[in-house]
Amino acid sequence: MRRFPLAAALAALLSLAPYAAAQQPALEAGVRVRVLDPALGPLPRAGLVAGASGDTLAVYLRRGRAADTLLLSRLERVEISRGFGEPAYGRAGTRAAFAGLLAGVAVAAAFHLVEDPGGYGFGLTATVLGVPVMGAGMILGLVTARPEERWEPLRREGAAPP
């Protein structure tokens, strides 16, 4: 009976091991970061770390250009990339697919009015022309969906949590 509480405590500690192992990443050269610096504009800028010292961060924000040196005290936010997730079929993809659907129906309806103004349903020509337009728009919506990059805020010593 004495071994059961010990085994339960050990199992509980082992289940917390992944959380203890997840440490804050360091700002090493080559790490992809996103910074918000009022001097660079209102939007966050992403780039690769060239180097970091105690109070500055050198980041390649533009390809083929020298690294920009940023003061850590002036940065409002620093985030580190955690890689890309699955493709996000969000608003842009859904809008493109819906636009393709509407365009296909509009093309089919227009050809139906020309082909058979008083008839019901869509004729063969309207269907043959409308369905490919609809399919192309929907495929375009799915193809344009890109994976979203996941970002983790960098917690700095002495700074309040985000």
Side-chain angles (χ1 to χ4, degrees), residues 10 37 51 60 69-70 73 80 89 91 115-116 119 138 140 146 148 158:
L10 185 61
D37 185 350
Y60 294 109
T69 303
L70 310 171
S73 61
I80 296 178
Y89 300 106
R91 279 187 272 173
E115 187 179 80
D116 187 15
M138 294 178 77
L140 180 68
R146 297 184 319 200
E148 291 186 11

Side-chain angles (χ1 to χ4, degrees), residues 9-112:
L10 185 61
L13 285 175
L14 288 176
S15 68
L16 295 175
Y19 297 107
Q23 297 177 0
Q24 184 67 23
L27 288 173
E28 300 171 344
V31 172
R32 186 164 163 77
V33 294
R34 184 167 65 179
V35 295
L36 179 60
D37 185 350
L40 297 174
L43 299 175
R45 306 272 309 269
L48 295 176
V49 173
S53 67
D55 58 346
T56 61
L57 179 65
V59 182
Y60 294 109
L61 294 173
R62 294 174 284 253
R63 286 188 186 186
R65 313 257 339 242
D68 294 308
T69 303
L70 310 171
L71 290 173
L72 287 172
S73 61
R74 196 172 62 187
L75 296 178
E76 292 182 11
R77 187 172 66 219
V78 179
E79 297 170 318
I80 296 178
S81 174
R82 286 301 189 191
F84 289 88
E86 294 296 317
Y89 300 106
R91 279 187 272 173
T94 305
R95 285 181 184 162
F98 190 66
L101 176 72
L102 290 179
V105 170
V107 167
F111 274 95
H112 173 66

Side-chain angles (χ1 to χ4, degrees), residues 126-154:
T127 304
V128 166
L129 293 174
V131 169
V133 170
M134 177 177 57
M138 294 178 77
I139 289 171
L140 180 68
L142 295 175
V143 169
T144 57
R146 297 184 319 200
E148 291 186 11
E149 194 165 4
R150 296 179 305 232
W151 298 95
E152 178 184 334
L154 178 71

